Amino acid sequence: MPEVPAGEVDALGRILLRLARLFLGAGADSEYVNRRIEKLARRWDATSELFIGSERLLLMLSTEGAYRTRIGHAVGAMGVDAGRLFALDGLANDIEAGRTDAASAQARLDEIEGGVGGYSPWVVALAVAVTSASLALLFGAGPIAAAAAFVAGAVSLLLRRQLARLGLPAAATAAITATVSGAVGAFPLHVLQVDATLVLVAAGMILVPGVPLINGVRDLVQGHAAIGLDRLASGGLVVLAIVCGLAMASALCAVSLPFSSGNASPALPWDFVLSGLAALGFAILFNAPARSILPIVLCGALSHGSRSLMTHEGVDIVAATLLATCLAGTVAVLLARYLEAPWAAFAFPGVVAMVPGAYAFHGMMGAVEIMHRGGDSAPVLLGETFSALITAGALTAAIGVGLLLAVVVGEGMVTVWGAAMARRASGPRRHAL
């Protein structure tokens, strides 16, 4: 692609800023976005520096004959949209390969921002219901409680979509959804005198903003403090709102939310199956393209299942989470290279079931109980509450660091394999006698 004339630098800046904003909103971490923008700028014979703030993006762009500084629009909500990630990654690849010029890139960005085709709301509701039931079973719930979690998951998705159309803040939407869906799942069990605690936890888990929390840790580790702290603060506020909603649902249905749980986990073979089903639901919820569904299910089964296997063998849960995330993330990187797709679209739906929402809920409910009891709080209540909160933070950090290690390991394996193939292709040939 020829060098950009001075008069087109502004247009180039608009394209790069828009790409960066859409990448961040679709679930990409800051370091990935930075590298992408730098490579695209070089493809247009320009140099760039992108500064990612908690509210705005700042791009400094220069060519041989011009220099521009541009401030982008507000980043907005940062969740995950695997379908949009695929589309943006494909556009970036086409720009790097010289198959798309600036005008065509703008037109494709209009299409992508207008909305990438997704699944039917009823399909998504069914998928989220399956995820909710799978999570309840993973936590040790029985068949009746899992059926109630299935209903609560479907109600959660449909209600959340309706509330989103009203333009409510994310925390308010999460609190209302947790209250209604939790009550819908817990009340029938209360009537049947069946423990509904795990139904409430599962209903909350599918609302937890796992990807922003994980990306927040990744951003902090990679030196992007402003956006990292913003993601963690926003995610933490939503988790607090979910806890408030679950507390309201538990009060309405006379169900307790203990800060510890003694429920037994399912057998290891079932753990792998249920983890894969949970990942399937998250994949559809995150609008993953059909060709990526099977790899996502594989990553989900591998991540949670391998962690359960390691903890069963006596490995500490934090270390097991780190190793399992690294393993599943490495597989995601390799699959992404093979399918020419963004690895995050495989990794995040695959590991989000390990986000320690249950620990966070137990810890926060314990904190509420301490607030009520004050100085009369029992030492065991204090200990288990702080243990749950610390474990939630440590597991979230382990997932974020594990994904960082996975990128290093996966890219290293790809590089070694490529070098080996190159040596094999250029090596001396044996001639038959």
Side-chain angles (χ1 to χ4, degrees):
M1 192 172 290
E3 180 181 337
V4 179
E8 296 183 14
V9 177
D10 284 336
L12 175 57
R14 285 194 295 271
I15 292 174
L16 296 181
L17 273 175
R18 199 173 177 191
L19 262 173
R21 176 171 58 84
L22 292 177
F23 263 126
L24 288 169
D29 67 278
S30 302
E31 190 63 25
Y32 177 84
V33 175
N34 258 322
R35 292 198 306 268
R36 266 303 201 185
I37 296 304
E38 288 175 0
K39 289 178 67 176
L40 293 174
R42 287 197 299 270
R43 185 64 186 85
W44 268 306
D45 294 326
T47 58
S48 68
E49 287 188 53
L50 178 66
F51 296 90
I52 301 175
S54 58
E55 296 182 357
R56 301 282 176 177
L57 302 179
L58 176 66
L59 177 68
M60 293 190 293
L61 190 67
S62 64
T63 64
E64 187 174 334
Y67 181 88
R68 295 288 189 275
T69 299
R70 295 190 61 88
I71 298 177
H73 295 290
V75 176
M78 288 178 285
V80 59
D81 187 330
R84 180 169 286 187
L85 274 178
F86 269 76
L88 292 170
D89 201 66
L91 173 58
N93 289 336
D94 287 344
I95 293 174
E96 289 181 24
R99 295 188 292 265
T100 300
D101 57 17
S104 300
Q106 285 281 23
R108 287 178 61 179
L109 282 172
D110 289 338
E111 295 177 2
I112 294 171
E113 191 165 14
V116 178
Y119 299 94
S120 161
W122 296 105
V123 172
V124 181
L126 177 61
V128 172
V130 170
T131 294
S132 181
S134 300
L135 290 173
L137 291 170
L138 280 173
F139 297 152
I144 297 177
F150 181 93
V151 175
V155 171
S156 173
L157 186 280
L158 295 174
L159 177 60
R160 189 173 9 166
R161 290 206 166 193
Q162 292 299 322
L163 293 175
R165 295 176 182 174
L166 300 178
L168 295 178
T173 298
I176 296 171
T177 304
T179 301
V180 175
S181 62
V184 167
F187 183 73
L189 297 185
H190 173 64
V191 174
L192 297 173
Q193 296 185 344
V194 176
D195 184 15
T197 300
L198 294 179
V199 174
L200 291 172
V201 174
M205 275 290 294
I206 59 177
L207 295 170
V208 171
V211 174
L213 290 172
I214 295 170
N215 270 335
V217 173
R218 287 163 53 82
D219 288 340
L220 285 178
V221 173
Q222 293 171 324
H224 303 281
I227 190 69
L229 291 173
D230 178 72
R231 279 172 155 157
L232 290 175
S234 299
L237 180 61
V238 172
V239 171
L240 182 59
I242 295 170
V243 171
C244 293
L246 294 181
M248 180 66 70
S250 67
L252 291 173
C253 301
V255 175
S256 63
L257 266 180
F259 41 84
S260 63
S261 176
N263 297 78
S265 300
L268 283 175
W270 279 110
D271 193 295
F272 281 90
V273 172
L274 294 171
S275 302
L277 287 175
L280 171 64
F282 280 120
I284 294 177
L285 175 64
F286 295 160
N287 194 29
R291 68 188 179 98
S292 68
I293 295 294
L294 186 58
I296 289 172
V297 171
L298 173 62
C299 290
L302 191 60
S303 63
H304 196 285
S306 62
R307 183 179 76 171
S308 297
L309 177 61
M310 284 185 275
T311 54
H312 180 74
E313 295 298 325
V315 180
D316 176 75
I317 189 171
V318 177
T321 299
L322 176 65
L323 294 173
T325 303
C326 184
L327 175 62
T330 300
V331 172
V333 171
L334 298 177
L335 288 172
R337 280 300 189 102
Y338 178 75
L339 296 174
E340 297 182 350
W343 75 274
F346 299 138
F348 284 137
V351 304
V352 75
M354 292 198 297
V355 172
Y359 284 97
F361 299 152
H362 294 152
M364 289 184 178
M365 292 306 298
V368 172
E369 189 69 17
I370 292 171
M371 179 184 69
H372 288 159
R373 296 186 183 183
D376 294 330
S377 300
V380 66
L381 173 62
L382 296 171
E384 292 190 355
T385 297
F386 284 112
S387 174
L389 292 174
I390 293 171
T391 302
L395 292 180
T396 303
I399 295 172
V401 174
L403 289 177
L404 290 174
L405 293 175
V407 174
V408 175
V409 174
E411 293 294 343
M413 292 175 66
V414 170
T415 301
V416 171
W417 176 260
M421 292 297 99
R423 287 195 301 269
R424 182 177 179 181
S426 60
R429 297 182 178 179
R430 296 182 178 180
H431 298 281
L433 295 177

